[in-house]
Amino acid sequence: MSERIPAALVLEDGRIFRGHAFGTVGETLGEAVFTTGMTGYQETLTDPSYRRQIVVSTAPQIGNTGWNLVDGESMTAEPTNDAVRNGMRGRIYVAGYVIRDYAHQPCSWRLDHALQDELEEQQIVGIQNVDTRAIVRHLRTKGSLLAGIFSGDSITSEDEMLEKVCSQPPAAGQDLASEVTTQEMYTLEPVEEHRFTIAAIDLGIKANTPRNFVKRGLRVHMMPAATTWEEIQELNVDGLFFSNGPGDPITATAPIALANAALENEMPLFGICFGNQIFGRALGLDTYKMKFGHRGINIPVKDHQTGRIAITSQNHGFALEGEPGMEFDTPYGRALISHSCPNDDTVEGVKLLDGSAFSVQYHPEACAGPHDANYLFDQFVDLLESHGKKGQK
C-alpha cells in the first residue's frame, strides 16, 4: 500500500518533512502553498490557478467524500454546454498534494471512486502522514517556498533532493496562464432566453464561472489568453470578462493590452482574481508577490462603498498595490480601490467610478462556497443592460 512507502517533502530552505506516499509514487516540483478550506478538495485540486503549486491542506483528513464526476473545476476536458451545466470530472492541476490523514473509506451520495485512485490515474505525486500544522506554520513564517515531493525510489540524499528543489525557476516572473488557457475559441449557449453575448478570456477559468453566466442568459465565447482586440471586435460582443488563473500578472502583456483596448472603446468589463490584477495593471496599478498569499474559503472582504463584509473564497499569490478605499486617476477616468481584506489591507477589488468596469480579487463563483459574492454576476448583467447593448440574435 502507498501509505507504507516512504516519502519526503523538501523545502528550499532545507527543511524536510518525512511521511508516506500518497497518490502516484515518484517526484514532483513546485511552490509549496497552503489552503485553509475545510471542504471542497476536488474543486481545489482541479483549479487551474494551482498550476505548478504543491498544495498543503490544513484540513486534518482528506478523501472523505472520494471523487465524483460533477465537481471538477477545470474546463480542459469536454468543454461542452452539457459539461458546464451538469458538471465534470476535471483535470487535476496541482503539482503535488500534502495531507495529514487519508480517509480510506469515502462516503458520498455522488461518490464515483476514491481520491487515491484519481491521483494515481492522473499521475499526481503526494505525501501523507506529515504534520501539516508544522508545515503551515513554517510557510506562514518563511513565506511560500519552492519545494519537492519525493517518494519510493525517487528519495535520494538530502543534498541531491534539495538541489533539485532549488534548481527550479521561482514563481515570480512565470507566465503560467498561457499553459492553462484554451487553445481555440469555443462557445457556450445560455440556458434559457438569450440576453447578451460576452467574450470570456480564459486565463485558467473555473467551470462554475461560465455556468453562472449561461444561467443568466449570456452566450459566452471562451477565448485564449492571447486574444487581440481585433478578434473581440469581430465577435460583436456586449462585454468582456477576464478569468482567474495562475502566474505573475506582470507577464500577461496580451491580456493587459486587451483590457486597455476595451477600456479605450468603453466596453463593459468584469474581472475576477487574475482578471482583477489584469484590470488593475491596465489602470496603472502595480502588482507584487505576497508572502504566502490568500488561499481558502473563509477570507473576509470589505466593500468600501457599502461597508458590507463578505466571506469569500480566494486563491492568489499576487496582489495589486494600493490603499483600501483609495481613489486615483486613470486614462479612463477616476477609479476606486473598492474592496479590501480587513486582515491585511490587501486590495480585493477595483472599479471605475462611472460603473463601466469593475473587478474583484476573490471568487464570486466559489465552489464549494461560500456564496456571499455571487451577486456580482448579476451586477455584470446589470452593467450590460445599462450600457444599452442589444445582444446577439
Side-chain angles (χ1 to χ4, degrees), residues 36 294-301 310-314 341 343 348:
T36 59
H294 290 172
R295 297 176 181 88
I297 59 176
N298 60 347
I299 300 172
V301 169
I311 303 302
T312 69
S313 172
Q314 299 192 22
C341 177
N343 291 344
E348 297 285 356

Side-chain angles (χ1 to χ4, degrees), residues 28-45:
T28 188
L29 300 174
E31 181 188 33
V33 301
F34 63 89
T35 177
T36 59
M38 298 297 287
T39 62
Y41 61 79
Q42 181 169 339
E43 291 88 343
T44 294
L45 293 173

Side-chain angles (χ1 to χ4, degrees), residues 275-289:
N276 178 62
Q277 297 159 22
I278 298 299
F279 178 47
R281 291 192 68 89
L283 294 180
L285 299 176
D286 289 327
T287 49
Y288 65 96
K289 191 175 189 305

